[in-house]
Amino acid sequence: MRIAIVVNDFPAVSETFIINKVKLLAEKGNAIYVYCSKLNEDLWKEHFIQTKNITPIPIGKKTSRQYILTHPIFLLRRFTRNKKDLFQNFVAQAINQSNPDIVHVEFSGLAANLTGAIKKIKAKKIVSCRGSAEKVKLHASEERKQKLTSVFSMVDAIHCVSQDMKQTILPYCNQAGKIFVNHPGIDVELFKKTVPRSNKNLIRILSIGRLTFQKGYLTGLLAINRLKESNPNFKWVIVGDGPEKEEIIFHIHQMQLQQNVMLAGVKSRAEILNLLNQSDIFFLPSVYEGIANAALEAMSMQLPVVATYSGGMGEVITHEMNGFLADVYDSNTLFHHLFHLAHDEELRKKIGEAAREKVVNEFTLEKHVKNFEVQYQNLLKR
C-alpha cells in the first residue's frame, strides 16, 4: 500500500508511537509518505537513516510559499484567493501528487485545521482521536465542534485510541460505523527490564509526561505530600517540560517537597529506559488521557502503575490485578496505593509481573500496526 501519514513536526520526541508505527509499516513493505509541517533532520537521521520506503515531505507555511512562487497557476490564484485557501489547496495537491491509497491524519486537531485540504484529497481518509483535541478543545470552542463535525463527515474512517474516546466523539459523528478502536502498542522488547535496582533503600516513583494540567500533577503532589508524612525515604522523579512548570515548582516549595520531588526535564529514550529500570512505581495522576503510552511502557518494564480512571486507563489496568486505580482528583486514594506499594516489595513484584503480561498479550506494537493494516485494507475493498 501507499500510505500518507500527516503530522505536525516529525519526528517528534514526544510522539514515539508515530515514529514506531511509520517504521514498522515501512519495514512491512508499504510505501510511506510523511507529510509534516516541520522536518526535524537530526531526529530523522537518528531514527530512519537506514529505513527504506519512507519519504518525508514538508508542507509547512514556508514550503507552501516557495511552491506558490515557483508555480504560475498558484501565483495567479494568489491574487484571487485568500492565503488560507491557497495553503489548503497546496496541501491537498502535495498529498495527491504522491497518489496514496490511504491518507491518515494522526491528530483530529490537525485535521480540523486542514478541512479545506481534506475535502480535496482523492484517497481514502482516516483521522485519529487521541486526547486533548477531543477531551478539552471541544468544551472550550464552539468553532472546534463545528470543524470536527465537518472532518468526521468527510473522512472514511475514524480511529480512537480507546472505547472511552469513542464515546467522547460519538455526539459529533452521525455515522458511528466509521469509528474503530485500536489501542496503542509499544515495543515490548525495547521496554524490558534488563538490570536490577541499584539502591533498594530509596523508593523511586516515576512520572513521564508534559507539565500540563492534563497530567494532574497538583493532585499527585497532594498524594505525595501525605506520603512524605509516613515514608520520608522516597523520591518522585517527573520527566518532562511544559507550560505549567512554574506553577508546579511553586506547589513543590509551598508543600516543602524539595527533598522528595525532582523535575528532571526532557530526557532521551536511553535516559528514560535507565530511569524505568531504576524505578519502583510509575505514577499517573492524570485528569484525562486517551491511553497513556508512558504507562504502557512502564508496565512493560514490570513497574506497578498507580493511575486515575482517566480516559481509557480502565481499559488497560485491572484494579489490584495489574495496577491500581483511583478516581480523578482523589489524592487520598492515590496516596494509599502509593503507600502500600512503597512498603511491600513482594506486592510491587507481583503487580509488575502481571502488568508486563497484560501489555505483552494486548498492547504490542506489532498488534497495533497490524490492526491499522487491516483497517486500511478494508477501506480499499469498499
Side-chain angles (χ1 to χ4, degrees):
M1 284 182 288
R2 297 169 65 85
I3 304 168
I5 303 294
V6 185
V7 292
N8 291 304
D9 293 359
F10 187 83
V13 174
S14 61
E15 295 169 5
T16 54
F17 56 94
I18 293 178
I19 294 172
N20 291 335
K21 172 190 171 182
V22 166
K23 185 175 290 188
L24 192 52
L25 281 171
E27 289 172 353
K28 287 172 171 281
N30 299 290
I32 309 298
Y33 301 85
V34 182
Y35 290 87
C36 54
S37 56
K38 181 181 177 182
L39 178 65
N40 187 325
E41 294 186 5
D42 290 337
L43 280 177
W44 171 266
K45 292 174 184 176
E46 178 184 337
H47 289 282
F48 297 106
I49 193 67
Q50 295 181 335
T51 307
K52 298 178 180 179
N53 301 329
I54 304 177
T55 305
I57 304 173
I59 53 169
K61 297 286 177 67
K62 182 178 179 181
T63 308
S64 70
R65 285 195 295 268
Q66 293 172 346
Y67 186 88
I68 289 168
L69 290 172
T70 56
H71 287 71
I73 189 168
F74 269 92
L75 195 59
L76 179 63
R77 289 174 182 170
R78 185 181 183 187
F79 300 102
T80 59
R81 299 186 183 182
N82 63 48
K83 291 181 180 179
K84 191 174 289 186
D85 285 345
L86 279 176
F87 178 70
Q88 299 282 334
N89 288 335
F90 159 72
V91 171
Q93 183 161 322
I95 292 174
N96 285 333
Q97 278 183 343
S98 64
N99 195 29
D101 301 305
I102 298 288
V103 174
H104 192 153
V105 185
E106 293 286 353
F107 299 95
S108 69
L110 176 59
N113 292 326
L114 293 175
T115 51
I118 290 172
K119 192 182 298 183
K120 297 181 178 181
I121 291 171
K122 299 174 183 177
K124 297 289 186 179
K125 299 174 282 269
I126 295 180
V127 63
S128 281
C129 298
R130 301 183 181 278
S132 61
E134 303 81 20
K135 290 285 187 178
V136 178
K137 300 292 186 184
L138 290 181
H139 295 302
S141 171
E142 189 64 35
E143 183 184 9
R144 176 58 68 89
K145 289 180 184 178
Q146 294 171 1
K147 284 186 175 181
L148 215 54
T149 301
S150 178
V151 166
F152 292 159
S153 69
M154 286 189 279
V155 299
D156 301 283
I158 304 162
H159 160 235
C160 291
V161 295
S162 64
Q163 292 292 339
D164 173 81
M165 183 59 68
K166 178 179 179 178
Q167 295 305 313
T168 300
I169 69 162
L170 267 175
Y172 310 99
C173 178
N174 59 10
Q175 292 177 272
K178 288 183 177 182
I179 304 172
F180 69 95
V181 174
N182 187 13
H183 290 135
I186 63 157
D187 185 343
V188 295
E189 291 306 311
L190 175 64
F191 291 97
K192 187 175 185 179
K193 197 166 186 67
T194 55
V195 295
R197 288 273 283 105
S198 59
N199 181 4
K200 293 190 176 182
N201 295 320
L202 178 72
I203 295 296
R204 282 181 167 270
I205 302 169
L206 179 65
S207 293
I208 301 171
R210 295 190 72 236
L211 306 185
T212 64
F213 83 93
Q214 168 197 352
K215 295 299 180 181
Y217 287 124
L218 177 55
T219 301
L221 286 168
L222 293 171
I224 290 293
N225 194 38
R226 286 202 60 191
L227 187 64
K228 181 186 69 172
E229 299 169 1
S230 59
N231 181 6
N233 198 25
F234 76 93
K235 188 170 285 287
W236 182 22
V237 178
I238 302 173
V239 174
D241 201 355
E244 305 296 323
K245 182 177 181 179
E246 189 176 81
E247 182 180 342
I248 292 168
I249 290 173
F250 170 81
H251 291 307
I252 290 171
H253 284 263
Q254 188 76 358
M255 299 180 200
Q256 298 182 3
L257 291 170
Q258 298 94 312
Q259 301 302 313
N260 298 102
V261 181
M262 182 177 79
L263 300 184
V266 177
K267 297 293 182 184
S268 67
R269 183 169 66 174
E271 290 171 320
I272 287 174
L273 283 168
N274 182 58
L275 284 167
L276 287 165
N277 264 311
Q278 295 303 319
S279 296
D280 300 285
I281 302 166
F282 190 85
F283 191 23
L284 188 78
S286 298
V287 174
Y288 73 88
E289 291 285 349
I291 285 180
N293 283 59
L296 293 176
E297 291 164 359
M299 292 171 72
S300 186
M301 296 284 286
Q302 295 178 236
L303 283 181
V305 174
V306 175
T308 57
Y309 283 103
S310 53
M313 293 311 299
E315 298 169 40
V316 178
I317 295 173
T318 303
H319 181 56
E320 295 185 338
M321 290 184 62
N322 52 36
F324 292 90
L325 292 166
D327 289 335
V328 173
Y329 305 119
D330 188 352
S331 60
N332 187 53
T333 301
L334 289 169
F335 152 70
H336 284 292
H337 295 333
L338 292 171
F339 177 86
H340 290 307
L341 285 167
H343 286 83
D344 192 335
E345 184 177 354
E346 283 302 310
L347 180 63
R348 295 199 299 272
K349 182 180 178 182
K350 174 187 172 185
I351 296 296
E353 289 173 351
R356 177 165 173 83
E357 183 179 359
K358 175 77 171 183
V359 172
V360 168
N361 288 338
E362 299 182 30
F363 296 94
T364 64
L365 179 61
E366 290 76 12
K367 182 175 182 179
H368 175 71
V369 172
K370 180 61 178 176
N371 285 344
F372 273 132
E373 284 191 303
V374 169
Q375 292 293 334
Y376 296 162
Q377 289 164 355
N378 288 341
L379 274 181
L380 295 177
K381 291 176 183 176
R382 292 181 189 175

